[in-house]
mmCIF file of all heavy atoms in Angstrom:
data_model
loop_
_atom_site.group_PDB
_atom_site.id
_atom_site.type_symbol
_atom_site.label_atom_id
_atom_site.label_comp_id
_atom_site.label_asym_id
_atom_site.label_seq_id
_atom_site.Cartn_x
_atom_site.Cartn_y
_atom_site.Cartn_z
ATOM 1 N N GLY B 248 98.520 88.965 75.679
ATOM 2 C CA GLY B 248 99.125 90.372 75.688
ATOM 3 C C GLY B 248 100.055 90.596 76.810
ATOM 4 O O GLY B 248 101.104 91.253 76.612
ATOM 5 N N GLY B 249 99.802 90.020 77.978
ATOM 6 C CA GLY B 249 100.700 90.045 79.115
ATOM 7 C C GLY B 249 102.035 89.412 78.820
ATOM 8 O O GLY B 249 103.071 89.850 79.236
ATOM 9 N N VAL B 250 102.009 88.316 78.065
ATOM 10 C CA VAL B 250 103.235 87.649 77.713
ATOM 11 C C VAL B 250 104.115 88.522 76.825
ATOM 12 O O VAL B 250 105.252 88.628 77.041
ATOM 13 C CB VAL B 250 102.966 86.266 76.990
ATOM 14 C CG1 VAL B 250 104.212 85.700 76.365
ATOM 15 C CG2 VAL B 250 102.332 85.303 78.022
ATOM 16 N N VAL B 251 103.458 89.231 75.883
ATOM 17 C CA VAL B 251 104.148 90.064 74.964
ATOM 18 C C VAL B 251 104.858 91.226 75.750
ATOM 19 O O VAL B 251 105.996 91.536 75.391
ATOM 20 C CB VAL B 251 103.276 90.633 73.916
ATOM 21 C CG1 VAL B 251 103.882 91.699 73.123
ATOM 22 C CG2 VAL B 251 102.715 89.524 72.951
ATOM 23 N N SER B 252 104.169 91.723 76.758
ATOM 24 C CA SER B 252 104.808 92.886 77.490
ATOM 25 C C SER B 252 105.742 92.383 78.551
ATOM 26 O O SER B 252 106.484 93.239 79.129
ATOM 27 C CB SER B 252 103.723 93.785 78.088
ATOM 28 O OG SER B 252 102.972 93.044 79.074
ATOM 29 N N GLY B 253 105.776 91.116 78.895
ATOM 30 C CA GLY B 253 106.737 90.616 79.872
ATOM 31 C C GLY B 253 106.122 90.597 81.246
ATOM 32 O O GLY B 253 106.884 90.517 82.268
ATOM 33 N N ASP B 254 104.770 90.678 81.418
ATOM 34 C CA ASP B 254 104.099 90.776 82.680
ATOM 35 C C ASP B 254 103.876 89.402 83.312
ATOM 36 O O ASP B 254 103.747 89.328 84.569
ATOM 37 C CB ASP B 254 102.807 91.476 82.447
ATOM 38 C CG ASP B 254 101.915 91.567 83.668
ATOM 39 O OD1 ASP B 254 102.360 92.074 84.683
ATOM 40 O OD2 ASP B 254 100.792 91.058 83.668
ATOM 41 N N VAL B 255 103.834 88.380 82.547
ATOM 42 C CA VAL B 255 103.434 87.086 83.003
ATOM 43 C C VAL B 255 104.660 86.251 83.526
ATOM 44 O O VAL B 255 105.626 86.018 82.715
ATOM 45 C CB VAL B 255 102.714 86.249 81.873
ATOM 46 C CG1 VAL B 255 102.290 84.847 82.402
ATOM 47 C CG2 VAL B 255 101.517 86.989 81.323
ATOM 48 N N PRO B 256 104.660 85.825 84.760
ATOM 49 C CA PRO B 256 105.829 85.178 85.323
ATOM 50 C C PRO B 256 105.967 83.752 84.776
ATOM 51 O O PRO B 256 104.932 83.039 84.640
ATOM 52 C CB PRO B 256 105.609 85.240 86.776
ATOM 53 C CG PRO B 256 104.221 85.413 87.015
ATOM 54 C CD PRO B 256 103.611 86.138 85.811
ATOM 55 N N ILE B 257 107.180 83.336 84.603
ATOM 56 C CA ILE B 257 107.462 82.090 83.965
ATOM 57 C C ILE B 257 108.582 81.384 84.842
ATOM 58 O O ILE B 257 109.643 82.017 85.198
ATOM 59 C CB ILE B 257 107.973 82.144 82.492
ATOM 60 C CG1 ILE B 257 106.718 82.737 81.679
ATOM 61 C CG2 ILE B 257 108.465 80.820 81.956
ATOM 62 C CD1 ILE B 257 107.198 83.424 80.435
ATOM 63 N N LYS B 258 108.408 80.122 85.208
ATOM 64 C CA LYS B 258 109.410 79.363 85.973
ATOM 65 C C LYS B 258 110.047 80.127 87.035
ATOM 66 O O LYS B 258 111.251 80.487 87.001
ATOM 67 C CB LYS B 258 110.469 78.803 84.934
ATOM 68 C CG LYS B 258 109.902 77.724 84.057
ATOM 69 C CD LYS B 258 111.065 77.166 83.215
ATOM 70 C CE LYS B 258 110.613 76.064 82.322
ATOM 71 N NZ LYS B 258 111.654 75.451 81.494
ATOM 72 N N ASN B 259 109.247 80.397 88.065
ATOM 73 C CA ASN B 259 109.678 81.080 89.170
ATOM 74 C C ASN B 259 110.379 82.489 88.858
ATOM 75 O O ASN B 259 111.363 82.889 89.439
ATOM 76 C CB ASN B 259 110.720 80.263 90.072
ATOM 77 C CG ASN B 259 110.822 80.707 91.505
ATOM 78 O OD1 ASN B 259 109.852 81.268 92.080
ATOM 79 N ND2 ASN B 259 111.965 80.572 92.068
ATOM 80 N N PHE B 260 109.742 83.178 87.940
ATOM 81 C CA PHE B 260 110.196 84.496 87.539
ATOM 82 C C PHE B 260 111.622 84.472 86.950
ATOM 83 O O PHE B 260 112.305 85.476 87.024
ATOM 84 C CB PHE B 260 110.140 85.457 88.706
ATOM 85 C CG PHE B 260 108.724 85.823 89.224
ATOM 86 C CD1 PHE B 260 108.013 84.961 89.998
ATOM 87 C CD2 PHE B 260 108.185 87.045 88.809
ATOM 88 C CE1 PHE B 260 106.716 85.288 90.391
ATOM 89 C CE2 PHE B 260 106.895 87.383 89.299
ATOM 90 C CZ PHE B 260 106.141 86.462 90.040
ATOM 91 N N THR B 261 111.983 83.383 86.323
ATOM 92 C CA THR B 261 113.314 83.298 85.660
ATOM 93 C C THR B 261 113.212 83.828 84.234
ATOM 94 O O THR B 261 114.203 84.020 83.551
ATOM 95 C CB THR B 261 113.925 81.988 85.624
ATOM 96 O OG1 THR B 261 113.018 81.041 85.074
ATOM 97 C CG2 THR B 261 114.323 81.493 87.086
ATOM 98 N N SER B 262 111.962 83.802 83.698
ATOM 99 C CA SER B 262 111.787 84.253 82.288
ATOM 100 C C SER B 262 110.607 85.184 82.228
ATOM 101 O O SER B 262 109.676 85.122 83.006
ATOM 102 C CB SER B 262 111.589 83.063 81.436
ATOM 103 O OG SER B 262 111.156 83.449 80.101
ATOM 104 N N ASN B 263 110.619 86.061 81.183
ATOM 105 C CA ASN B 263 109.467 86.968 80.969
ATOM 106 C C ASN B 263 108.895 86.741 79.557
ATOM 107 O O ASN B 263 108.140 87.607 79.041
ATOM 108 C CB ASN B 263 109.944 88.437 81.142
ATOM 109 C CG ASN B 263 110.209 88.729 82.508
ATOM 110 O OD1 ASN B 263 111.178 88.250 83.111
ATOM 111 N ND2 ASN B 263 109.394 89.545 83.169
ATOM 112 N N TYR B 264 109.235 85.698 78.956
ATOM 113 C CA TYR B 264 108.712 85.485 77.583
ATOM 114 C C TYR B 264 108.573 84.051 77.202
ATOM 115 O O TYR B 264 109.602 83.323 77.320
ATOM 116 C CB TYR B 264 109.604 86.202 76.520
ATOM 117 C CG TYR B 264 108.873 86.252 75.178
ATOM 118 C CD1 TYR B 264 107.745 86.984 75.007
ATOM 119 C CD2 TYR B 264 109.367 85.515 74.092
ATOM 120 C CE1 TYR B 264 107.078 86.988 73.746
ATOM 121 C CE2 TYR B 264 108.710 85.545 72.850
ATOM 122 C CZ TYR B 264 107.550 86.271 72.684
ATOM 123 O OH TYR B 264 106.934 86.346 71.473
ATOM 124 N N TRP B 265 107.353 83.635 76.902
ATOM 125 C CA TRP B 265 107.108 82.259 76.456
ATOM 126 C C TRP B 265 105.862 82.247 75.570
ATOM 127 O O TRP B 265 104.804 82.144 76.056
ATOM 128 C CB TRP B 265 106.914 81.356 77.704
ATOM 129 C CG TRP B 265 106.777 79.909 77.440
ATOM 130 C CD1 TRP B 265 106.903 79.246 76.244
ATOM 131 C CD2 TRP B 265 106.509 78.821 78.394
ATOM 132 N NE1 TRP B 265 106.680 77.914 76.318
ATOM 133 C CE2 TRP B 265 106.421 77.591 77.693
ATOM 134 C CE3 TRP B 265 106.264 78.837 79.742
ATOM 135 C CZ2 TRP B 265 106.179 76.380 78.313
ATOM 136 C CZ3 TRP B 265 105.998 77.691 80.334
ATOM 137 C CH2 TRP B 265 105.920 76.418 79.668
ATOM 138 N N GLU B 266 106.165 82.516 74.312
ATOM 139 C CA GLU B 266 105.070 82.809 73.369
ATOM 140 C C GLU B 266 104.062 81.637 73.250
ATOM 141 O O GLU B 266 102.837 81.912 73.296
ATOM 142 C CB GLU B 266 105.658 83.079 71.971
ATOM 143 C CG GLU B 266 104.543 83.594 71.026
ATOM 144 C CD GLU B 266 105.187 84.020 69.653
ATOM 145 O OE1 GLU B 266 106.390 83.807 69.478
ATOM 146 O OE2 GLU B 266 104.423 84.541 68.822
#
Side-chain angles (χ1 to χ4, degrees):
Chain B
V250 169
V251 171
S252 65
D254 174 58
V255 181
I257 296 155
K258 292 187 178 178
N259 200 32
F260 290 79
T261 55
S262 169
N263 291 69
Y264 191 68
W265 185 3
E266 187 173 8

